[in-house]
Amino acid sequence: MSRVITLFRNTLALEGQPGAGLNQWISRITLPLAGIAVFLMLWSFAARQIDTSLGAFPGPQAVATQFVNLYNEHVAEREKEAAFYERQEKRNAARVAEDPDYVPKIRPYTGKETFLDQIGTSLVTVMSGFLLGALLAIPLGIAIGLSPTLSQAVNPVIQVFKPVSPLAWLPLVTMVVSALYVSDDPLVSKSFLNSMITVTLCCLWPMVVNTSVGVASVDKDLVNVSRVLKLSTLRHVQKIVLPSAIPMIFTGMRLSLGVAWMVLIAAEMLAQNPGLGKFVWDEFQNGSSQSLSRIMAAVLVIGFIGFLLDRSMLWLQRRASWDKSVATS
Amino acid sequence: MTHSRTPGHATPRGLNRRALIKAAGASVLALGLGISTVQAAKLGYPEKEELIFGFIKLTDMAPLAIAYEKGYFEDEGLYVKLEAQANWKVLLDGVIDGRLDGAHMLAGQPLAATIGYGTQAHIITPFSMDLNGNGITVSNAVWEEMKPNIPKQADGKPVHPIKADALKPVVDKYKAEGKPFKMGMVFPVSTHNYELRYWLAAGGINPGYYAPHKGDTSGQIQADALLSVTPPPQMPATLEAGTIYGYCVGEPWNQQAVFKGIGVPVITDYEIWKNNPEKVFGITAEFAEKYPNTTIRVTRALIRAARWLDENNNANRPEAVKILSQPNYVGADEKVIANSMTGTFEYEKGDKRPVPDFNVFYRYYATYPFYSDAIWYLTQMRRWGQIAEAKPDSWYHEVAKKVYRPDIYKLAAESLIAEGKVKPEEMPDFATETGYKPPEKTFIDGIVYDGRHPTEYIDQFPIGLKADQTL
């Protein structure tokens, strides 16, 4: 194990050496490409062997076709949308002519969400849920990390809730939201709240735990310095705790975001809330000869977005921490 | 006025004539007034314009898709969003808690909700969505075992309609081997449940009773065949997995089984009961009260959509199939949907037979909410114990009138006739229509149904609770 780590370190270290630059650069490009090529070949081969009741399992080509289809559908839907608004304006004008007191209102488009729309919805939902989670979890984590008393008191609750599959929360969340969120002109839809709160609930725990560990393990010397200087609690957190705990906080956030993205797709599938999960479920229900390749296309997109989310957190982590060595992939 | 200036004769006869002319003038005036009052009573603008309607992925949701795609909703000033729902329970709860403004519902749902079987809520229907459209499919293995029991035609194909008599030996065999014979239907108060039960019972197979007063809502008391709920789009997958041996569901999920080669449809509901009422459009009573214009306008749009679907002897069906195959509506392959929507039905693979009335949306007054249709569903709920206690005839009539609302339908239809969008002969004669169809004699077991006498009807079945029997 330690040899592997040393090897890994050496590889990393090589990056800095000018002599190995070109070779390194070539292998950094070619190896992943070769990996992808082998994967595509295996996939294509395996797909032809699997025959489902909906036809053959989609290979890379079928999925590529679907990406084109999905994009075309998106474009077509936008055209329909433009026509919808045009008709609506005419209708409004006609009504104003007939009934001058009428205040015309533009209603949002009533057509279906396209694949691209669903991606947008999922991204907005996951980020909202995640940010809300961070707003709750980080202060809570800091408080727990600072006070061993609080830590001991809260610990059992965290330990019990941490392993709960977020999907178990979903029915409860749905019922509570529909009971409490009553409004004639809601700002956001209930389905959005359901997905968002489910995401929040499950990305809470990794952040709380990591933040509290990070805060609790602040160098004792630094804590003593703070004591000597008689810093107020707020200054203590600001000057001593946060800077040392930031790498751990970000590790927690990265874990959380990964969990959040996985949970969101499942929650959308289960609750039929708009988003990529619903797209997958709808296609599964349709059971057409196109369904499997469309689902596969969605799977790839879900994976790719998950990867991008992780990379952007990593980038943020690097920007925010002073100890760059902690923030590795 | 011109006639007042007509020089009159001083004779009594002339006076008479003048009086006559005056009277005529007055009546012309009255006629004019009459027209203007019609104009004054012209349908008002919808109170609620943005609506969300739910549906289940079945071809009989077509009136909703067509009303949207053909702009009939927009013509009424309605901005409707159509949302597919996961299953019938989610859909009903959506309408009850207001997440949905209305939905494509099983005919039994508004009735059951109103009498409080399941979730209690007063749901009404001003519009019946279609006739027929369901089928019963069995797995390939069961079909092979049934086949020897079915008489053959000259060309070697089985004689249709196939009665459950052919299935009975198979069920008995499973029972003797200690294997429960499991079948799927889509919801406890679904048309499919009652049709499947009707077909099984007509062949001497007891589908089991419900006993809600004892807390038993599984519907499997004394059952030979055990029925359970599976959402329509998952029927083929569940059959394929071997969890059930057969199912009763709407299209395209019977044709899907043929297409996938995993099962064989044995009978359509058209052959169980010719032109049986199927889905309805359900809204809460509160919605209809709060938004009367919206309700009438929705009904108008749906009537026009149904008309389009059946127009010129189903000429628009291929286009409808194309629309329904879009992923946001039914989403199955075009040829699967076309199999049933365009007047044919494929039983065993390659055995395609004409069933021109398999999907009826408009003909035979299909959209009119007949009280007798409502009462048939209530009689079946009583027959299988979902309604636990004996009820007098008057109760059946009251419930039907509470839920089925031909009064709203009449307003919508009459305004369409006045605008020339619908021909009067396409509609029942509203002056004389009672809402009760004449006794119906087209059931597979030959039992005659007269909606005026529900308890008498219930007593006729060899399998089933009698009108005054309690489990």
Side-chain angles (χ1 to χ4, degrees):
Chain A
M1 188 67 200
S2 62
R3 272 184 66 187
V4 176
I5 291 172
T6 334
L7 246 173
F8 185 59
R9 286 256 164 84
N10 289 344
T11 326
L12 279 181
L14 266 176
E15 280 181 52
Q17 292 177 11
L22 190 66
N23 273 341
Q24 192 63 36
W25 190 77
I26 290 172
S27 65
R28 276 184 77 177
I29 294 289
T30 50
L31 287 181
L33 278 181
I36 290 173
V38 169
F39 168 72
L40 285 179
M41 266 158 55
L42 280 178
W43 173 16
S44 174
F45 174 77
R48 262 176 277 150
Q49 313 303 313
I50 308 171
D51 211 13
T52 72
S53 60
L54 287 178
F57 192 82
Q61 219 170 357
V63 174
T65 323
Q66 282 311 324
F67 276 116
V68 178
N69 285 353
L70 288 168
Y71 179 72
N72 288 343
E73 276 167 32
H74 177 75
V75 174
E77 197 65 26
R78 287 290 88 87
E79 278 165 17
K80 272 178 92 175
E81 183 173 1
F84 169 86
Y85 283 117
E86 209 171 290
R87 286 199 304 276
Q88 188 173 176
E89 266 162 36
K90 272 190 201 142
R91 197 168 303 114
N92 278 342
R95 179 157 171 189
V96 169
E98 201 177 306
D99 169 16
D101 297 336
Y102 179 66
V103 185
K105 185 180 163 201
I106 294 293
R107 297 134 195 108
Y109 182 52
T110 55
K112 65 164 183 218
E113 291 97 359
T114 64
F115 186 59
L116 291 174
D117 297 338
Q118 303 282 36
I119 294 176
T121 312
S122 283
L123 277 175
V124 170
T125 316
V126 81
M127 287 321 289
S128 323
F130 171 72
L131 289 178
L132 181 64
L135 278 180
L136 296 172
I138 293 171
L140 182 65
I142 292 174
I144 293 172
L146 286 178
S147 146
T149 328
L150 185 64
S151 169
Q152 274 179 5
V154 178
N155 199 37
V157 179
I158 294 179
Q159 295 307 327
V160 167
F161 281 124
K162 209 176 73 171
V164 173
S165 162
L167 298 181
W169 286 110
L170 194 65
L172 298 173
V173 170
T174 314
M175 294 320 287
V176 170
V177 166
S178 56
L180 297 183
Y181 186 64
V182 190
S183 145
D184 279 337
D185 188 23
L187 193 65
V188 292
S189 68
K190 275 183 190 170
S191 58
F192 171 79
L193 274 188
N194 288 340
S195 310
M196 189 189 89
I197 293 173
T198 311
V199 165
T200 304
L201 278 175
C202 65
C203 63
L204 221 51
W205 313 117
M207 285 196 273
V208 171
V209 172
N210 276 285
T211 309
S212 61
V213 170
V215 170
S217 57
V218 172
D219 199 329
K220 289 284 166 292
D221 293 344
L222 291 173
V223 176
N224 288 336
V225 169
S226 162
R227 286 228 181 93
V228 169
L229 293 176
K230 291 201 170 91
L231 290 182
S232 69
T233 317
L234 198 68
R235 295 285 287 176
H236 172 67
V237 169
Q238 196 187 349
K239 292 287 172 195
I240 308 287
V241 173
L242 272 182
S244 350
I246 275 239
M248 279 300 271
I249 293 179
F250 267 92
T251 308
M253 285 170 82
R254 237 179 106 195
L255 278 174
S256 281
L257 190 59
V259 173
W261 183 242
M262 279 203 249
V263 162
L264 176 73
I265 303 295
E268 285 168 350
M269 280 180 81
L270 201 68
Q272 303 279 298
N273 293 333
L276 280 168
K278 184 171 164 54
F279 176 87
V280 169
W281 187 248
D282 280 351
E283 284 300 336
F284 174 60
Q285 301 262 294
N286 287 344
S288 86
S289 52
Q290 312 264 306
S291 293
L292 290 183
S293 45
R294 289 164 77 98
I295 292 174
M296 197 65 212
V299 166
L300 291 182
V301 168
I302 291 169
F304 190 66
I305 291 176
F307 167 73
L308 287 185
L309 287 177
D310 190 59
R311 284 288 132 164
S312 43
M313 279 312 290
L314 187 65
W315 179 79
L316 269 180
Q317 187 175 4
R318 282 194 177 136
R319 292 289 307 256
S321 26
W322 45 267
D323 184 3
K324 304 294 180 204
S325 70
V326 183
T328 54
S329 50
Chain B
M1 276 188 173
T2 45
H3 50 256
S4 63
R5 265 187 266 121
T6 316
H9 302 274
T11 57
R13 200 171 156 254
L15 268 174
N16 270 351
R17 218 183 91 203
R18 196 162 13 157
L20 259 173
I21 292 165
K22 262 193 181 164
S27 68
V28 166
L29 203 73
L31 203 68
L33 274 174
I35 287 163
S36 70
T37 48
V38 166
Q39 264 163 1
K42 202 186 96 173
L43 201 47
Y45 290 110
E47 298 89 353
K48 184 170 187 189
E49 297 169 328
E50 286 161 80
L51 304 167
I52 300 177
F53 293 154
F55 69 90
I56 297 290
K57 287 178 175 282
L58 291 165
T59 54
D60 52 22
M61 62 73 67
L64 287 169
I66 298 305
Y68 180 86
E69 294 290 331
K70 293 283 145 194
Y72 297 147
F73 282 135
E74 286 189 27
D75 286 352
E76 303 294 332
L78 302 172
Y79 298 89
V80 173
K81 230 176 144 79
L82 298 176
E83 276 182 9
Q85 305 296 308
N87 58 53
W88 291 110
K89 166 120 178 66
V90 168
L91 174 137
L92 181 66
D93 289 347
V95 173
I96 294 172
D97 70 22
R99 184 172 57 80
L100 301 172
D101 293 298
H104 161 230
M105 281 186 189
L106 297 157
Q109 281 187 306
L111 293 163
T114 305
I115 63 174
Y117 183 77
T119 322
Q120 157 84 47
H122 189 183
I123 308 276
I124 64 154
T125 174
F127 178 84
S128 181
M129 285 183 78
D130 65 322
L131 306 179
N132 314 321
N134 298 331
I136 297 175
T137 295
V138 297
S139 70
N140 291 333
V142 170
W143 172 245
E144 286 310 320
E145 289 182 67
M146 270 176 87
K147 234 173 159 180
N149 312 326
I150 306 166
K152 305 278 180 298
Q153 288 172 181
D155 61 357
K157 285 179 181 168
V159 176
H160 281 265
I162 296 171
K163 292 196 176 182
D165 306 47
L167 180 66
K168 190 164 177 15
V170 184
V171 174
D172 288 344
K173 196 186 122 206
Y174 274 74
K175 247 181 122 175
E177 289 169 7
K179 277 195 278 182
F181 193 85
K182 288 186 258 178
M183 296 185 86
M185 46 85 183
V186 308
F187 201 61
V189 299
S190 68
T191 330
H192 317 80
N193 187 18
Y194 304 126
E195 282 168 358
L196 184 56
R197 284 166 175 272
Y198 201 101
W199 181 71
L200 290 170
I205 302 165
N206 191 332
Y209 299 106
Y210 294 83
H213 54 299
K214 292 181 189 160
D216 187 336
T217 51
S218 64
Q220 300 180 340
I221 302 171
Q222 300 172 24
D224 298 326
L226 306 177
L227 312 190
S228 58
V229 170
T230 307
Q234 280 148 38
M235 285 290 186
T238 316
L239 185 76
E240 199 178 2
T243 316
I244 50 176
Y245 303 121
Y247 56 71
C248 179
V249 73
E251 276 315 297
W253 310 118
N254 294 292
Q255 293 300 301
Q256 186 83 277
V258 184
F259 187 72
K260 289 177 162 186
I262 55 172
V264 177
V266 286
I267 191 167
T268 67
D269 59 344
Y270 179 78
E271 297 156 310
I272 298 174
W273 173 18
K274 200 175 147 196
N275 289 339
N276 65 90
E278 241 292 314
K279 304 296 181 314
V280 296
F281 182 74
I283 52 179
T284 60
E286 193 195 343
F287 181 93
E289 211 167 284
K290 216 163 145 192
Y291 313 114
N293 290 344
T294 304
T295 306
I296 296 174
R297 285 181 177 278
V298 169
T299 312
R300 276 165 53 98
L302 290 174
I303 292 176
R304 288 179 69 196
R307 186 175 191 274
W308 183 90
L309 279 160
D310 277 11
E311 209 168 30
N312 301 327
N313 205 10
N314 296 356
N316 293 327
R317 291 291 178 91
E319 191 185 338
V321 167
K322 200 161 239 144
I323 292 171
L324 289 179
S325 69
Q326 288 176 24
N328 53 326
Y329 296 127
V330 182
D333 282 345
E334 243 180 276
K335 55 181 164 182
V336 175
I337 299 177
N339 252 359
S340 68
M341 280 283 280
T342 48
T344 57
F345 191 83
E346 190 169 6
Y347 294 89
E348 221 176 332
K349 204 151 207 156
D351 185 2
K352 210 181 217 186
R353 305 188 186 202
V355 189
D357 282 341
F358 181 72
N359 267 133
V360 172
F361 292 101
Y362 193 65
R363 294 187 290 272
Y364 319 126
Y365 312 142
T367 53
Y368 186 86
F370 286 98
Y371 294 136
S372 51
D373 293 347
I375 292 170
W376 187 80
Y377 285 104
L378 293 169
T379 63
Q380 298 306 303
M381 289 179 194
R382 178 70 195 110
R383 179 182 180 188
W384 302 117
Q386 289 177 332
I387 298 171
E389 288 112 35
K391 301 279 182 189
D393 274 357
S394 57
W395 180 85
Y396 290 90
H397 299 300
E398 268 165 37
V399 173
K401 285 178 182 158
K402 216 171 147 190
V403 177
Y404 275 47
R405 295 290 298 275
D407 53 321
I408 298 173
Y409 182 92
K410 180 173 170 255
L411 290 173
E414 281 178 342
S415 68
L416 286 172
I417 292 172
E419 290 170 24
K421 291 192 171 100
V422 163
K423 296 196 187 85
E425 65 268 23
E426 293 164 358
M427 288 292 157
D429 182 357
F430 293 116
T432 57
E433 180 57 61
T434 58
Y436 289 87
K437 287 183 186 165
E440 290 170 75
K441 299 171 186 150
T442 53
F443 286 86
I444 192 166
D445 55 359
I447 292 176
V448 177
Y449 167 62
D450 184 354
R452 286 177 188 83
H453 310 292
T455 50
E456 250 172 62
Y457 176 65
I458 296 169
D459 285 337
Q460 294 179 59
F461 295 110
I463 298 181
L465 299 181
K466 300 289 171 274
D468 55 0
Q469 191 184 345
T470 308
L471 271 181

